[in-house]
Each structure stands twice: as C-alpha cells, then as structure tokens.
Amino acid sequence: MSTSMTLDVDTGLLDVSGRRVRPAVVWVRHGSACALIAQARPAGSMTPLRAESWSGFLRQVAATADAALPGGTVVGPGQLAQARRLGVRTPRTVVTNDVPAGARAVGAPTLVVKTPDFRLFEPDRLGWKTCLPRVAGREAVEQDPGPTVPGGAGERPVVVQEHVPHTRELRVYHLDGGICAFEVSKPDPSSPMTDPDSVTVTRVDCPHPAAEAVRTLCAAWNLRYGAFDLLVSDTGDVVFLEANPDGDWLWFERKARWHGVSFMAAVMVRELFVRSTS
C-alpha cells in the first residue's frame, strides 16, 4: 500500500500515514516535474500530471516550513544578467536554437556551446552525445553548429557563451553563510561526464574575491544553499558561470578525499532546526 500524505495548509501539519508532524526545515532537491519524470524508476512510471502534482506538493510543504532550502534564486542563464547588475563579472552569453547566429552575436574568438543540467533530464547516457559541452573557435562553430542544430535552426535552444581564458576553475559551496571551495582541473569541459578519472579536484581556501561574489549573489537571491561554478581569469578577476541550488557535493568530496561539505550541511540543517523551534 502506498504511503498516505496529507498537508493541512492552514496549520502546516503534515500527516504521513497517521503520523502528524510539523515540518521545521525542508530541503527540496531535484523536485521539478521534469526531474521527477527523468529520475523515476522504472523509467516511464511517472506521468507528467503525476510529476507536476508531486512537485507542487513538495513546494507547498516547503512553503509551510519555518526554514526552506535551498532558498529563492533565478535558474539558468537568467542568473548572469542579475549577477552582472550586481557587479559580478560574467561571460557574454546567448540562448538560441540557431548556433551560428548565436556565435556571431557573442562575437568572441572562442566559444562554449552547452546544454545546462542535461544529465538531470536525460538519464540515458546514450542521449548525452548531443548535449555535451564543447569548446571551439567561432568560425568552426559557425561552419559546424553540431548535432543538436541540423541545418542551422535546431530542435531546442542551447547556450552559446564566450570562453573566458582562466588560470583556475572553482566549485564554491555556500551553506547558510559558510563557504568552502574546491579547485577543479580537467582537460575538457565534458571530461566529468566522459572521462571522470582525468578530472582532479583539490580542496582549497576560497579566494576572497570569489567568496565576496558568492555572498553578494546569495544575499540578493535569498539563497541559503548553492553550488557555484567560477573562473579566475588571467587577470585575476572572478568570473561567475552558474549557481546550482540543487548542486551535488559528494562527487567533489570523493575526488578530493575531503568531506567537509557534508559536515557543514549537517551543521546547517541542525542550526536551522534549532532556530525554527526555539
């Protein structure tokens, strides 16, 4: 028999098969309808209506809690426009289903073409080939837009972005004000998906400008938790690429042989619980 769940919106009480609880801290990860459909097992067992209904239910549970994670934020390339307005450097970016046109619009000599978060919505590795990020010169991109865009105007929009020359790539985690960072070294943007053994992850002290950029964005977005991808340019500037409110940390911890993010996450949830119940 399936679990019975009833949320009383007026009182905030959640009844789980006869056991009544009041959610104090709720952390929803990968709770969108698309994510629920893609991750359902067995495959195809989650219909769009069922997925959207459960996604809405999770959002409502989070809304009734005293503390909700990860917090509010814009997702996708829209983050870049807001970050730029807040004084954080970002790469020139367009979203388009016409990659040659996008390459001309960006105008940079070297470009990155990518489909954000594709692994979440395409769990079958056989479907990854057309989604993997690639770096190429502008002329090469204009002449060969890739398998996702046959004939120029393709079947789905992708991100075309300026490739920023950089000396370091950072994954920075923000946990309710706490900051920790990893430095990532990889031969190609697609290496974490295609050849993870070639990727090196090292626990590092977060550079002050990177920490300041992360805290600025989290304050503006009311974001308690986020996994930030940043570059340190050849000139020492911090360049913001993306903040993932559902970003995983276990893979980075295993590669670095350091488990401080897990500890910080546990402390964060405990402190939020104490605050909400005191």
Side-chain angles (χ1 to χ4, degrees):
M1 183 178 67
S2 61
T3 301
S4 170
M5 301 182 70
T6 302
L7 176 67
D8 188 322
V9 176
D10 293 333
T11 64
L13 290 174
L14 179 65
D15 187 299
V16 183
S17 295
R19 183 180 180 183
R20 302 181 78 192
V21 298
R22 185 184 302 279
V25 181
V26 175
W27 192 346
V28 178
R29 301 186 71 238
H30 303 311
S32 70
C34 289
L36 293 176
I37 291 171
Q39 302 301 318
R41 297 293 181 269
S45 60
M46 183 73 75
T47 65
L49 177 59
R50 186 183 180 201
E52 181 54 42
S53 298
W54 276 110
S55 180
F57 182 81
L58 294 173
R59 291 194 300 270
Q60 188 60 56
V61 172
T64 60
D66 293 318
L69 291 159
T73 183
V74 176
V75 296
Q79 294 176 345
L80 299 172
Q82 293 196 5
R84 195 176 301 112
R85 287 195 290 269
L86 291 166
V88 178
R89 181 180 168 186
T90 64
R92 173 88 171 104
T93 304
V94 301
V95 183
T96 179
N97 73 331
D98 187 340
V99 171
R104 291 190 292 271
V106 173
T110 308
L111 302 167
V112 181
V113 182
K114 59 186 180 179
T115 302
D117 299 328
F118 70 88
R119 287 180 293 173
L120 180 60
F121 308 116
E122 182 53 79
D124 184 357
R125 285 178 173 267
L126 296 177
W128 285 10
K129 183 177 180 181
T130 62
C131 301
L132 291 170
R134 66 184 179 117
V135 177
R138 186 178 67 206
E139 292 184 0
V141 172
E142 291 178 2
Q143 294 172 7
D144 179 16
T148 60
V149 193
E155 56 189 24
R156 58 180 170 80
V158 296
V159 172
V160 180
Q161 192 169 71
E162 167 196 7
H163 179 263
V164 178
H166 56 279
T167 57
R168 305 177 72 187
E169 178 179 343
L170 302 174
R171 165 59 71 100
V172 178
Y173 290 93
H174 176 276
L175 301 99
D176 199 33
I179 293 282
C180 60
F182 298 97
E183 185 166 343
V184 182
S185 177
K186 57 193 179 187
D188 185 84
S190 65
S191 295
M193 289 75 75
T194 60
D195 186 15
D197 290 340
S198 68
V199 181
T200 301
V201 178
T202 307
R203 161 76 177 112
V204 296
D205 293 332
C206 188
H208 180 72
E212 286 298 301
V214 166
R215 289 197 169 102
T216 295
L217 296 175
C218 286
W221 295 336
N222 191 30
L223 191 62
R224 283 195 171 104
Y225 170 83
F228 286 73
D229 292 324
L230 306 169
L231 301 176
V232 179
S233 75
D234 296 344
T235 59
D237 294 333
V238 170
V239 182
F240 167 70
L241 299 180
E242 179 187 18
N244 186 347
D246 290 331
D248 171 62
W249 64 83
L250 294 179
W251 186 84
F252 291 87
E253 285 189 333
R254 287 194 295 269
K255 295 287 288 186
R257 299 181 183 273
W258 183 81
H259 302 283
V261 186
S262 293
F263 176 78
M264 291 176 67
V267 170
M268 173 181 64
V269 172
R270 180 183 181 278
E271 290 184 348
L272 288 172
F273 174 77
V274 171
R275 272 186 250 162
S276 67
T277 56
S278 61

